[in-house]
Amino acid sequence: MLLNRWRRWRRSRPFWGGLLAVLAGAEICALPLAPLKVMLQQGVAGIPSVLMGAVMIVLGLTAWFAPAQRGLAGVLTTLVATAALVLSNLGGFLIGTLLGILGGGLMFAWQPHAAAAAPVRPSPTDATDAAGTTGTTDAIPAPPHDTAPSRSTRHHDLQGAQP
């Protein structure tokens, strides 16, 4: 039961993109705190690394806990990961940058599953002929008549942005 809840939660959000973004942020954050022999830069230059890593971790968690913001989180993760290449020890020795770009792309591309539509059953009042076809043609209702003045170049915008 717990495994099913976990699987349902994981599939209802961009889990893998968020995980890669959190790992990329941890990688970029950890390098400025490493011993001096491992680091390429030190001092004030380590502050952007820690900040960019923290921002990437927050963006990964945002994708998990606010999936509606996945587009913005994905784009920002990709931008921060690319900036980390220049500003932060080659973006965590390229590992953090590559994980961040891949995670940002996965977050941006993720789409929620649409609910499965219930199959349409014919009503018991529909008459069926010998061939098995229904006698009524009103299974699909006709669209309502448009009372707006007609134009010769009418646009059909499903989201309603066009007049």
Side-chain angles (χ1 to χ4, degrees):
M1 176 157 163
L2 185 60
L3 184 61
N4 287 336
R5 285 182 55 201
W6 164 252
R7 192 173 291 146
R8 214 175 24 243
W9 182 85
R10 189 187 74 213
R11 291 181 180 169
S12 67
R13 58 203 72 243
F15 178 77
W16 296 110
L19 179 65
L20 289 177
V22 168
L23 291 175
E27 171 72 21
I28 291 172
C29 265
L31 280 180
L33 306 174
L36 185 60
K37 293 180 182 179
V38 177
M39 285 182 27
L40 294 177
Q41 299 175 0
Q42 67 180 20
V44 180
I47 294 172
S49 300
V50 173
L51 289 176
M52 284 189 289
V55 166
M56 289 179 70
I57 290 171
V58 167
L59 289 170
L61 294 175
T62 299
W64 281 353
F65 297 111
Q69 304 301 322
R70 69 188 181 279
L72 179 64
V75 170
L76 289 177
T77 299
T78 304
L79 290 175
V80 170
T82 306
L85 185 64
V86 177
L87 298 173
S88 168
N89 294 316
L90 293 175
F93 296 126
L94 292 178
I95 296 170
T97 294
L98 293 176
L99 287 175
I101 290 172
L102 184 61
L106 286 173
M107 282 190 277
F108 185 76
W110 181 82
Q111 293 291 320
H113 288 292
V120 178
R121 296 181 184 179
S123 66
T125 59
D126 289 341
T128 314
D129 62 5
T133 59
T134 58
T136 61
T137 58
D138 60 357
I140 300 173
H145 296 290
D146 191 11
T147 58
S150 73
R151 297 181 196 154
S152 60
T153 58
R154 181 156 188 129
H155 296 285
H156 296 284
D157 185 16
L158 299 176
Q159 296 178 348
Q162 295 286 333

Short mmCIF file of all heavy atoms in Angstrom, two decimals, residues 10 15 34 70 126 137 159:
data_model
loop_
_atom_site.label_atom_id
_atom_site.label_comp_id
_atom_site.label_asym_id
_atom_site.label_seq_id
_atom_site.Cartn_x
_atom_site.Cartn_y
_atom_site.Cartn_z
N ARG A 10 5.02 9.87 -7.03
CA ARG A 10 6.16 10.08 -7.93
C ARG A 10 5.71 10.33 -9.37
O ARG A 10 6.30 11.14 -10.08
CB ARG A 10 7.08 8.86 -7.87
CG ARG A 10 8.39 9.06 -8.61
CD ARG A 10 9.17 7.78 -8.67
NE ARG A 10 8.53 6.91 -9.63
CZ ARG A 10 8.50 5.59 -9.55
NH1 ARG A 10 9.04 4.98 -8.53
NH2 ARG A 10 7.91 4.88 -10.47
N PHE A 15 9.30 14.01 -11.14
CA PHE A 15 10.17 13.51 -10.08
C PHE A 15 11.63 13.43 -10.51
O PHE A 15 12.52 13.91 -9.81
CB PHE A 15 9.69 12.13 -9.61
CG PHE A 15 10.56 11.53 -8.56
CD1 PHE A 15 10.49 11.97 -7.26
CD2 PHE A 15 11.48 10.54 -8.88
CE1 PHE A 15 11.31 11.44 -6.28
CE2 PHE A 15 12.30 10.01 -7.92
CZ PHE A 15 12.22 10.45 -6.61
N ALA A 34 34.94 21.88 -0.36
CA ALA A 34 35.90 20.79 -0.41
C ALA A 34 37.29 21.28 0.03
O ALA A 34 37.53 22.48 0.13
CB ALA A 34 35.96 20.25 -1.84
N ARG A 70 6.43 23.77 -12.95
CA ARG A 70 7.52 23.00 -13.53
C ARG A 70 8.18 23.68 -14.73
O ARG A 70 9.37 23.54 -14.92
CB ARG A 70 7.02 21.62 -13.95
CG ARG A 70 6.07 21.70 -15.13
CD ARG A 70 5.42 20.38 -15.44
NE ARG A 70 4.56 20.51 -16.60
CZ ARG A 70 3.34 20.98 -16.57
NH1 ARG A 70 2.82 21.38 -15.43
NH2 ARG A 70 2.64 21.06 -17.66
N ASP A 126 -32.00 3.76 -27.40
CA ASP A 126 -31.61 3.77 -28.80
C ASP A 126 -32.07 2.48 -29.46
O ASP A 126 -31.84 1.38 -28.97
CB ASP A 126 -30.09 3.88 -28.96
CG ASP A 126 -29.58 5.26 -28.57
OD1 ASP A 126 -30.40 6.19 -28.55
OD2 ASP A 126 -28.36 5.38 -28.31
N THR A 137 -29.11 9.41 -34.36
CA THR A 137 -27.86 10.06 -34.76
C THR A 137 -27.47 11.15 -33.77
O THR A 137 -26.58 11.92 -34.05
CB THR A 137 -28.00 10.69 -36.16
OG1 THR A 137 -29.08 11.62 -36.12
CG2 THR A 137 -28.22 9.62 -37.21
N GLN A 159 -8.01 28.53 -26.49
CA GLN A 159 -7.74 29.12 -25.20
C GLN A 159 -8.41 30.47 -25.02
O GLN A 159 -8.36 31.05 -23.96
CB GLN A 159 -6.23 29.27 -24.99
CG GLN A 159 -5.55 27.94 -24.94
CD GLN A 159 -4.05 28.09 -24.79
OE1 GLN A 159 -3.52 29.17 -24.95
NE2 GLN A 159 -3.39 27.00 -24.49
#
